[in-house]
Amino acid sequence: MNRRRLVRWGAPLLALAAMLSVSSCAMNVCPAIAYMYGGPAVVEFDPTLPSASEVESCFGNGCEPAPVTAGRADEWEVPQETPYVPSDSIPGGEIRSLRIVASTTTGVVVDDTFEIPILMEPEGVFGQCPGPFRFDTVVVEWDAERG
Protein backbone atom coordinates (compact mmCIF):
# COMPACT_ATOMS: atom_id res chain seq x y z
CA MET A 1 0.00 0.00 0.00
CA ASN A 2 2.84 2.40 0.77
CA ARG A 3 4.30 1.66 -2.59
CA ARG A 4 1.06 2.73 -4.31
CA ARG A 5 1.07 6.05 -2.45
CA LEU A 6 4.68 6.64 -3.44
CA VAL A 7 3.90 5.94 -7.08
CA ARG A 8 0.74 8.05 -6.92
CA TRP A 9 2.61 11.11 -5.56
CA GLY A 10 5.97 10.43 -7.16
CA ALA A 11 5.02 11.30 -10.73
CA PRO A 12 3.38 14.69 -9.89
CA LEU A 13 6.32 15.65 -7.67
CA LEU A 14 8.78 14.82 -10.44
CA ALA A 15 6.73 16.85 -12.91
CA LEU A 16 6.65 19.83 -10.52
CA ALA A 17 10.41 19.65 -9.96
CA ALA A 18 11.00 19.54 -13.72
CA MET A 19 8.76 22.56 -14.31
CA LEU A 20 10.50 24.58 -11.61
CA SER A 21 13.92 23.82 -13.01
CA VAL A 22 12.82 24.71 -16.55
CA SER A 23 11.14 27.95 -15.45
CA SER A 24 14.15 28.77 -13.22
CA CYS A 25 11.93 30.13 -10.45
CA ALA A 26 14.58 29.18 -7.95
CA MET A 27 17.23 31.16 -9.88
CA ASN A 28 15.35 34.48 -10.06
CA VAL A 29 16.41 35.59 -6.58
CA CYS A 30 18.73 38.62 -6.52
CA PRO A 31 21.39 39.00 -3.83
CA ALA A 32 21.02 41.85 -1.34
CA ILE A 33 24.07 43.81 -2.51
CA ALA A 34 24.20 47.60 -2.64
CA TYR A 35 26.45 49.00 -5.33
CA MET A 36 28.09 52.43 -5.11
CA TYR A 37 29.75 54.67 -7.67
CA GLY A 38 32.28 57.22 -6.47
CA GLY A 39 33.36 58.65 -9.82
CA PRO A 40 32.47 62.07 -11.19
CA ALA A 41 29.45 63.17 -13.17
CA VAL A 42 30.52 64.27 -16.66
CA VAL A 43 28.76 67.14 -18.44
CA GLU A 44 28.85 67.95 -22.16
CA PHE A 45 27.26 70.98 -23.79
CA ASP A 46 25.59 70.83 -27.19
CA PRO A 47 26.71 72.97 -28.92
CA THR A 48 30.11 73.34 -27.23
CA LEU A 49 30.43 76.34 -24.93
CA PRO A 50 32.74 79.19 -26.00
CA SER A 51 36.22 79.05 -24.45
CA ALA A 52 35.60 81.98 -22.07
CA SER A 53 32.56 80.26 -20.48
CA GLU A 54 32.18 79.42 -16.81
CA VAL A 55 30.38 76.38 -15.43
CA GLU A 56 29.19 75.81 -11.88
CA SER A 57 27.52 72.66 -10.63
CA CYS A 58 26.42 70.61 -7.63
CA PHE A 59 24.54 67.38 -6.85
CA GLY A 60 20.84 67.65 -5.98
CA ASN A 61 18.00 70.15 -6.26
CA GLY A 62 18.36 73.56 -4.66
CA CYS A 63 22.06 73.11 -3.92
CA GLU A 64 24.62 75.91 -4.10
CA PRO A 65 26.74 75.37 -7.26
CA ALA A 66 30.53 75.66 -7.16
CA PRO A 67 32.91 76.36 -10.08
CA VAL A 68 33.91 73.36 -12.21
CA THR A 69 36.98 73.23 -14.45
CA ALA A 70 36.88 71.85 -17.97
CA GLY A 71 38.26 68.38 -18.45
CA ARG A 72 39.35 66.76 -21.67
CA ALA A 73 37.56 67.39 -24.96
CA ASP A 74 35.16 70.04 -23.61
CA GLU A 75 33.81 67.75 -20.89
CA TRP A 76 33.23 69.15 -17.43
CA GLU A 77 33.71 66.75 -14.52
CA VAL A 78 31.81 67.26 -11.27
CA PRO A 79 33.43 65.15 -8.51
CA GLN A 80 31.33 63.60 -5.75
CA GLU A 81 33.06 65.55 -3.00
CA THR A 82 32.73 68.82 -1.10
CA PRO A 83 31.60 71.45 -2.17
CA TYR A 84 29.62 69.69 -4.93
CA VAL A 85 27.89 67.12 -2.68
CA PRO A 86 25.80 68.20 0.33
CA SER A 87 27.68 67.68 3.61
CA ASP A 88 24.99 65.33 4.98
CA SER A 89 25.20 63.02 1.95
CA ILE A 90 27.31 59.93 1.44
CA PRO A 91 29.07 60.00 -1.96
CA GLY A 92 28.51 56.88 -3.97
CA GLY A 93 25.94 57.65 -6.63
CA GLU A 94 23.15 58.28 -4.11
CA ILE A 95 22.17 61.63 -5.66
CA ARG A 96 21.07 61.25 -9.28
CA SER A 97 20.47 64.89 -10.23
CA LEU A 98 22.89 67.66 -11.09
CA ARG A 99 22.29 71.40 -10.99
CA ILE A 100 24.23 73.10 -13.76
CA VAL A 101 24.76 76.85 -14.22
CA ALA A 102 26.67 77.89 -17.35
CA SER A 103 27.51 81.45 -18.38
CA THR A 104 29.17 83.01 -21.38
CA THR A 105 30.38 86.58 -21.81
CA THR A 106 26.77 87.64 -22.52
CA GLY A 107 25.29 86.13 -19.32
CA VAL A 108 23.76 82.92 -17.94
CA VAL A 109 22.74 80.50 -20.70
CA VAL A 110 21.82 77.48 -18.55
CA ASP A 111 20.50 77.29 -14.98
CA ASP A 112 18.63 74.03 -14.49
CA THR A 113 18.68 70.64 -12.78
CA PHE A 114 19.29 67.54 -14.90
CA GLU A 115 18.82 63.85 -14.14
CA ILE A 116 22.06 61.90 -14.33
CA PRO A 117 21.62 58.85 -16.59
CA ILE A 118 23.27 55.66 -15.40
CA LEU A 119 24.79 52.67 -17.16
CA MET A 120 24.20 49.41 -15.30
CA GLU A 121 25.70 45.97 -15.68
CA PRO A 122 22.85 43.54 -14.97
CA GLU A 123 23.63 40.38 -13.01
CA GLY A 124 21.95 37.04 -12.45
CA VAL A 125 21.42 34.07 -14.69
CA PHE A 126 19.12 36.03 -17.00
CA GLY A 127 20.35 39.56 -16.19
CA GLN A 128 17.34 40.19 -13.98
CA CYS A 129 19.29 41.65 -11.03
CA PRO A 130 20.72 45.17 -10.80
CA GLY A 131 24.50 45.16 -10.79
CA PRO A 132 27.36 47.66 -10.65
CA PHE A 133 26.60 51.03 -12.25
CA ARG A 134 28.27 54.26 -13.27
CA PHE A 135 27.08 57.69 -14.34
CA ASP A 136 26.60 58.28 -18.05
CA THR A 137 27.35 61.70 -19.60
CA VAL A 138 24.82 64.47 -18.94
CA VAL A 139 24.28 66.25 -22.27
CA VAL A 140 23.05 69.84 -21.84
CA GLU A 141 21.53 71.50 -24.87
CA TRP A 142 21.55 75.29 -24.93
CA ASP A 143 20.65 78.04 -27.39
CA ALA A 144 23.92 79.38 -28.84
CA GLU A 145 22.11 82.28 -30.50
CA ARG A 146 20.81 83.46 -27.14
CA GLY A 147 24.18 83.10 -25.42
Side-chain angles (χ1 to χ4, degrees), residues 84-122:
Y84 307 103
V85 177
S87 60
D88 62 343
S89 176
I90 299 170
E94 167 186 305
I95 302 174
R96 304 270 175 92
S97 62
L98 198 61
R99 181 174 176 208
I100 301 169
V101 179
S103 12
T104 63
T105 54
T106 60
V108 175
V109 293
V110 174
D111 186 353
D112 206 352
T113 302
F114 299 86
E115 290 299 314
I116 304 170
I118 61 168
L119 297 173
M120 187 179 313
E121 300 172 25

Side-chain angles (χ1 to χ4, degrees), residues 49-69:
L49 289 174
S51 59
S53 301
E54 294 179 7
V55 175
E56 295 180 329
S57 189
C58 58
F59 287 86
N61 293 321
C63 59
E64 188 61 40
V68 180
T69 55

